[in-house]
């Protein structure tokens, strides 16, 4: 569904723009980006994207409207663009954390479909885990939005009640796994590797571990069993990390992020 308007082209919005163009889904000329300070998007303007500060004009030029502002900005934005939204023309795709489909529909014209989407910043390199949800009457809109995000990594359609959990694990989770890579590289430095060597080994090892789970569709513990041997160095290290609370800390972090995500949006 083209053209595409991305309203609020900050980190996640520009990552989506990079990803959908690099994936060949659209050309830069078919993407309209908005930001209050459009000069911050000059590198996109130089590549042929339309860059505006006027959200209503962006909506008038588009069919798929991606809302990518902060939760506390969405009410004002929806009030601004609502007169320009048209049933049968526009589909809203919201990547705003914590804002429900019902809350968006309450501020937009009847009949305009809404798809709630939660990607992560890996959309910029087309390696995102993106979750999508829509009301029963808007399931066809999933068909319009999902192909776009399919070019940006993997997608999964969920019930809307699961989207807060998806936010914590998939969107916040990028930072959690990056912190794990950093911690592993610091460990590598402590046992004798140079910084660049340790970071490369840690990042590629993390990539390999994830690829084993995805390609073989095995439970992680099954792959761990292939590495651990009686009295070996791997099981010794795993047990030490568990004694220090590794798994518990990850679980608590995800739960805490979910609790926070549920509270990000409050009505004006």
């Amino acid at each position: 569904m083209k053209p595409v308007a991305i309203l609020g082209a900050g980190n996640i919005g520009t990552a989506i723009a990079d990803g959908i163009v690099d994936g060949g889904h659209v050309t830069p000329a078919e993407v309209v980006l908005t930001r209050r300070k459009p000069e911050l998007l000059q590198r996109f303007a130089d590549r042929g994207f339309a860059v505006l500060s006027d959200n209503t004009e962006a909506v008038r030029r588009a069919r798929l409207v991606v809302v990518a502002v902060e939760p506390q900005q969405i009410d004002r934005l929806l009030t601004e663009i609502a007169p320009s939204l048209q049933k049968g023309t526009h589909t809203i795709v919201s990547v705003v954390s914590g804002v429900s489909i019902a809350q968006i529909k309450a501020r937009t014209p009847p009949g305009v479909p809404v798809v709630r989407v939660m990607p992560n910043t890996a959309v910029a390199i087309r390696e995102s885990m993106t979750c999508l949800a829509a009301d029963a009457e808007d399931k066809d809109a999933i068909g319009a939005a999902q192909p776009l995000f399919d070019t940006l990594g993997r997608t999964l359609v969920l019930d809307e009640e699961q989207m807060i959990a998806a936010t914590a694990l998939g969107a916040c989770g990028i930072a959690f796994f990056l912190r794990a890579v950093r911690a592993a590289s610091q460990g590598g430095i402590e046992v004798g590797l140079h910084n660049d060597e340790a970071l490369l080994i840690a990042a590629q090892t993390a990539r390999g571990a994830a690829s084993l789970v995805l390609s073989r569709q095995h439970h992680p513990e099954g792959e761990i069993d292939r590495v651990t041997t009686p009295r070996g160095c791997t099981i010794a290290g795993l047990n030490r990390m568990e004694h220090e609370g590794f798994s518990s800390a990850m679980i608590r972090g995800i739960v805490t992020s979910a609790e926070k995500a549920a509270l990000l949006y409050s009505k004006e």
Side-chain angles (χ1 to χ4, degrees):
M1 182 177 283
K2 309 171 186 178
V4 177
I6 301 176
L7 312 182
N11 290 335
I12 194 69
T14 54
I16 291 170
D18 278 328
I20 60 177
V21 168
D22 291 346
H25 191 81
V26 294
T27 65
E30 294 171 315
V31 181
V32 184
L33 304 177
T34 73
R35 193 161 179 170
R36 282 180 293 180
K37 296 181 178 180
E39 63 271 16
L40 296 177
L41 299 173
Q42 186 60 47
R43 71 179 180 92
F44 288 91
D46 292 343
R47 292 165 56 194
F49 290 82
V51 172
L52 305 173
S53 60
D54 187 338
N55 293 310
T56 57
E57 175 60 23
V59 169
R60 283 193 287 268
R61 296 189 191 185
R63 291 178 58 81
L64 194 70
V65 179
V66 180
V67 178
V69 296
E70 295 294 325
Q72 299 308 318
Q73 299 171 334
I74 190 170
D75 286 353
R76 184 168 57 253
L77 174 66
L78 293 176
T79 299
E80 177 187 354
I81 67 172
S84 300
L85 292 168
Q86 297 181 12
K87 177 182 177 181
T89 298
H90 295 108
T91 295
I92 298 172
V93 173
S94 171
V95 300
V96 183
S97 298
V99 184
S100 73
I101 292 169
Q103 289 165 331
I104 294 170
K105 286 189 171 184
R107 292 180 176 269
T108 53
V112 175
V114 175
V115 181
R116 187 172 171 185
V117 177
M118 185 45 59
N120 59 42
T121 53
V123 293
I125 57 168
R126 290 183 285 147
E127 288 290 349
S128 177
M129 180 66 244
T130 302
C131 297
L132 305 92
D135 287 343
E137 65 267 24
D138 291 339
K139 291 302 182 184
D140 288 346
I142 291 278
Q146 190 168 11
L148 183 147
F149 289 94
D150 280 339
T151 67
L152 306 179
R154 297 211 176 192
T155 61
L156 181 65
V157 177
L158 298 174
D159 294 332
E160 190 186 10
E161 64 185 18
Q162 298 173 293
M163 290 299 284
I164 291 294
T167 299
L169 182 55
C172 304
I174 279 282
F176 303 155
F177 288 107
L178 287 169
R179 181 58 60 86
V181 169
R182 176 185 177 274
S185 71
Q186 293 295 103
I189 293 169
E190 186 163 341
V191 296
L193 294 167
H194 294 293
N195 180 67
D196 56 343
E197 297 166 337
L199 188 56
L200 173 61
I201 293 171
Q204 179 59 34
T205 301
R207 181 179 185 178
S211 296
L212 283 171
V213 173
L214 292 171
S215 63
R216 293 182 174 178
Q217 298 186 339
H218 290 172
H219 192 279
E221 286 301 321
E223 295 297 336
I224 289 172
D225 288 344
R226 294 173 182 268
V227 185
T228 55
T229 56
R231 298 182 180 180
C233 56
T234 303
I235 191 64
L238 281 172
N239 285 341
R240 180 58 184 267
M241 285 192 287
E242 289 303 330
H243 287 315
E244 297 294 335
F246 179 80
S247 293
S248 178
M250 180 70 83
I251 293 166
R252 289 201 304 267
I254 291 167
V255 171
T256 299
S257 287
E259 292 169 345
K260 181 71 172 180
L263 300 173
L264 286 175
Y265 171 74
S266 62
K267 292 184 179 181
E268 292 180 343

